[in-house]
Amino acid sequence: MSCSSQSECRQSQLGEQMSAKFTFSKNTFSHPYFLLTTIIVVTFFSYFKVLSYDFSYVDDEQLVLERLEWLSHPDNIPDLFAQEFLPKKDIHLDGSGYYRPLVNLTFAMDSWVYGINAGGYHASNLIFHLLSICILFLFLRSVRLKDRENLLSCLIFSIHPAATHAIAWIPGRTDLLLTLFTLISFLFFSLWYQNRENKKLLIPMVFSLLGAMLCKENGVMVFPFLLAIMVLVSSKPVKPSDWGALLAIGVLPTLIYAFLWHNVWGNRALSERSMIDLINYLPLLPYNYAKLILPHQMVTMDYYKDLPLIMVWLVLPLGVFLWTFKSPNEKIIAGSNCWILMTSTPSLLAARNHILENRLYGLVAPLAVSLVLAGSSCYKQLKIEHRKLFLGFFSLWVLFLAWSTLKYIPAFKDKDSFISQTKENSSNDLVPFKKALFLIKSGKLDEGEALLLKLDKSPQPLKNVANNLGVIYLRRKKLELAANFFSKELARYPGQIIAAKNLIQVYLNLGQFSKAKALVERTLTAHPSDPKLLDIKNFLEKMAPSDK
């Protein structure tokens, strides 16, 4: 075929890459799009049971159930872009800086269609996962990855148990949407990179980059990742005009996101997102990556509890191996590892020593690509008599992933399943903390107390752990013990106004008016207009003059 211009030739080549001619023949069952459809169908039926699952009442209670009536009114859509992600009464995440309006918008759309039917919300999560599989396939095809390696990467991504938490847990939608928009931006970046004269391909990148940011804070890392790819992986010279176009496309959605975020959170300082938090989390980094290679202790999965230390020593050399592996696809492997770092870095800054496994969702796709390409290169270099053994081990690993996923899914069936199957010795402290709150709310104070005391002994206890222990002892009228835990909470989190109010109440009950007055004045410096503190201050000025 002759082309009238170089641009037309490139467009023709890209068209052949992105769409193969499909006709029914004896080769139909080996056609890449037929195999992709098979992967989609297998994934759908693997997760089909989630369509009958209930809410877990862990975050989805605040996100959906408690404001279902408000979400169901389309007139409130503009307000979704002018408010924080979680209601401020969620004390644990108060002031977190979370701004995810697109996620809330999808919850609103679900409420219009499904109302209080939890199965509909689960169906939306599953649809987003299936869309991500399709976009991943198109993206890998656009970078000219062989269909066999492309499909195997999509298969691992589709059935990996690390994806289950994001798919089967309704609030895990944040990571599903983040990954979906990230993959869309990668796809259009790849198409533009191979045909830079077509500037129209940059327009969808603007919307996909902004969409990623409006789904989760990690989205701000997508554009720097694309710049890194241009520098590290590019084999073509990049013109200054191309740099200018790409910078403009990346800066515009970033500025829009910064404006919207500032409109909601103002000049709030992200003090907790510090380098100290990152340093504290680094020892758990290989441990959580290990879950991607050999899933273990996935919050509700109670097997392989003794493997983490072994896996630490396996994952670190594997990372070096994948980065330096010499193969025809070494640049794609390098890019995949950059992708892993891009996806995980913001979560590391935010998570400290606890991480929900839904945050691993975005790491599955690049890790699958890296492993498949490295495994393919190993396979080609092995002797013929060893190849069957290699394929056997690799097949067993894929089957193990699928089996683990099927075992893991029922943990999200309903509130009782999610809470009862939570591992108290999990690497993640947040879910046991939620379990403790559920036990306390159910009147099981002894069980809640035991779990909170265990969490209180961790190197960096979560916010509100000591405060809730104080509340338990306050209910039991053990005032001195309650005061100790409220004081401990304030020592860890000086801005914890709830703990301060609780401690003031204990001081009043103990008749220690001078201590109560001093704490009221100290707390009022940070919250000068709090009505309850002002009332207590007036009360103390009238009732305890002799205690000054």
Side-chain angles (χ1 to χ4, degrees), residues 25 87 98 113 128 144 150 153 217 221 323 332 358 366 388 416 422-423 441 453 467 484 495 543:
S25 67
Y98 290 169
V113 179
F128 292 135
R144 296 181 172 86
N150 184 347
S153 299
E217 297 69 32
M221 295 295 295
W323 182 264
I332 299 180
N358 61 286
K388 289 185 178 180
D416 294 334
T422 298
K423 285 294 295 178
K441 188 176 180 181
L453 286 172
N467 180 61
N484 289 338
M543 300 299 296

Side-chain angles (χ1 to χ4, degrees), residues 276-277 280 352-354 429 455 457-462 493:
I276 299 299
D277 295 329
N280 289 333
R352 287 195 269 180
N353 67 333
H354 55 274
D429 285 347
L455 293 173
K457 295 177 182 177
S458 64
Q460 266 192 320
L462 292 175
Y493 301 95

Side-chain angles (χ1 to χ4, degrees), residues 214-259:
L214 294 179
C215 289
K216 197 169 185 179
E217 297 69 32
N218 303 41
V220 299
M221 295 295 295
V222 178
F223 177 61
F225 165 74
L226 296 178
L227 291 179
I229 291 299
M230 289 282 282
V231 174
L232 299 175
V233 182
S234 176
S235 58
K236 298 181 180 181
V238 183
K239 299 177 182 178
S241 59
D242 295 332
W243 280 115
L246 187 60
L247 285 171
I249 291 303
V251 170
L252 178 61
T254 304
L255 290 176
I256 295 174
Y257 171 76
F259 172 79

Side-chain angles (χ1 to χ4, degrees), residues 135-172:
I135 300 298
L136 176 63
F137 173 82
L138 294 176
F139 166 60
L140 295 178
R141 201 155 225 244
S142 73
V143 297
R144 296 181 172 86
L145 197 64
K146 292 181 180 179
D147 287 332
R148 178 181 58 192
E149 295 163 342
N150 184 347
L151 289 164
L152 189 53
S153 299
C154 290
L155 175 63
I156 294 173
F157 174 59
S158 68
I159 52 91
H160 199 292
T164 307
H165 201 131
I167 300 166
W169 184 50
I170 293 173

Side-chain angles (χ1 to χ4, degrees), residues 143 147 173 181 187 318 356:
V143 297
D147 287 332
R173 185 175 300 185
F181 280 108
L187 173 60
L318 177 65
L356 283 168

Side-chain angles (χ1 to χ4, degrees), residues 260-537:
L260 292 172
W261 187 93
H262 185 271
N263 184 53
V264 172
W265 289 103
N267 295 316
R268 178 186 177 278
L270 299 177
S271 58
E272 293 187 14
R273 308 310 193 254
S274 63
M275 288 304 297
I276 299 299
D277 295 329
L278 177 58
I279 293 171
N280 289 333
Y281 186 82
L282 282 176
L284 288 176
L285 178 61
Y287 168 74
N288 281 287
Y289 284 175
K291 296 182 177 184
L292 298 171
I293 310 299
L294 189 60
H296 59 278
Q297 214 170 334
M298 302 285 289
V299 176
T300 54
M301 294 172 70
D302 56 359
Y303 20 86
Y304 309 116
K305 59 182 292 185
D306 298 322
L307 280 181
L309 290 178
I310 300 174
M311 293 305 299
V312 165
W313 298 105
L314 291 179
V315 172
L316 288 176
L318 177 65
V320 175
F321 169 77
L322 292 176
W323 182 264
T324 61
F325 200 88
K326 301 299 180 183
S327 74
N329 296 304
E330 62 181 347
K331 289 185 177 180
I332 299 180
I333 296 177
S336 296
N337 282 271
C338 289
W339 183 359
I340 290 175
L341 293 174
M342 176 273 296
T343 306
S344 60
T345 299
S347 288
L348 305 187
L349 288 169
R352 287 195 269 180
N353 67 333
H354 55 274
I355 183 169
L356 283 168
E357 273 63 24
N358 61 286
R359 293 176 177 175
L360 297 176
Y361 179 81
L363 302 177
V364 178
L367 183 111
V369 174
S370 294
L371 286 176
V372 168
L373 293 181
S376 177
S377 298
C378 284
Y379 176 81
K380 293 173 183 177
Q381 296 178 23
L382 288 173
K383 295 180 180 179
I384 295 178
E385 58 268 24
H386 295 153
R387 289 183 178 180
K388 289 185 178 180
L389 184 63
F390 179 86
L391 285 177
F393 278 113
F394 194 84
S395 300
L396 286 174
W397 178 65
V398 174
L399 289 174
F400 170 75
L401 294 181
W403 175 80
S404 298
T405 297
L406 294 175
K407 293 284 289 184
Y408 186 26
I409 292 173
F412 299 89
K413 182 178 181 181
D414 51 31
K415 174 175 63 177
D416 294 334
S417 298
F418 191 77
I419 296 298
S420 65
Q421 296 189 48
T422 298
K423 285 294 295 178
E424 294 183 13
N425 61 345
S426 169
S427 62
N428 167 36
D429 285 347
L430 185 55
V431 174
F433 175 72
K434 296 278 188 180
K435 178 179 179 179
L437 296 185
F438 172 75
L439 291 170
I440 294 171
K441 188 176 180 181
S442 303
K444 301 177 181 179
L445 295 184
D446 291 339
E447 295 179 44
E449 176 192 6
L451 188 49
L452 286 173
L453 286 172
K454 184 175 181 179
L455 293 173
D456 189 63
K457 295 177 182 177
S458 64
Q460 266 192 320
L462 292 175
K463 187 177 182 180
N464 265 323
V465 168
N467 180 61
N468 279 284
L469 281 167
V471 170
I472 290 175
Y473 297 125
L474 184 59
R475 289 184 184 180
R476 294 172 175 170
K477 298 184 179 181
K478 297 181 179 180
L479 300 183
E480 294 290 347
L481 198 53
N484 289 338
F485 279 100
F486 291 139
S487 299
K488 186 185 290 188
E489 180 74 19
L490 287 173
R492 292 169 181 165
Y493 301 95
Q496 236 291 40
I497 186 172
I498 301 299
K501 290 179 179 179
N502 288 335
L503 184 56
I504 291 168
Q505 187 62 49
V506 172
Y507 285 153
L508 292 176
N509 291 342
L510 291 173
Q512 299 175 357
F513 298 110
S514 58
K515 288 185 177 181
K517 188 172 186 295
L519 183 54
V520 167
E521 292 175 348
R522 189 164 68 247
T523 309
L524 278 172
T525 58
H527 306 276
S529 58
D530 187 279
K532 185 173 181 179
L533 291 174
L534 292 173
D535 288 343
I536 296 175
K537 181 182 178 182

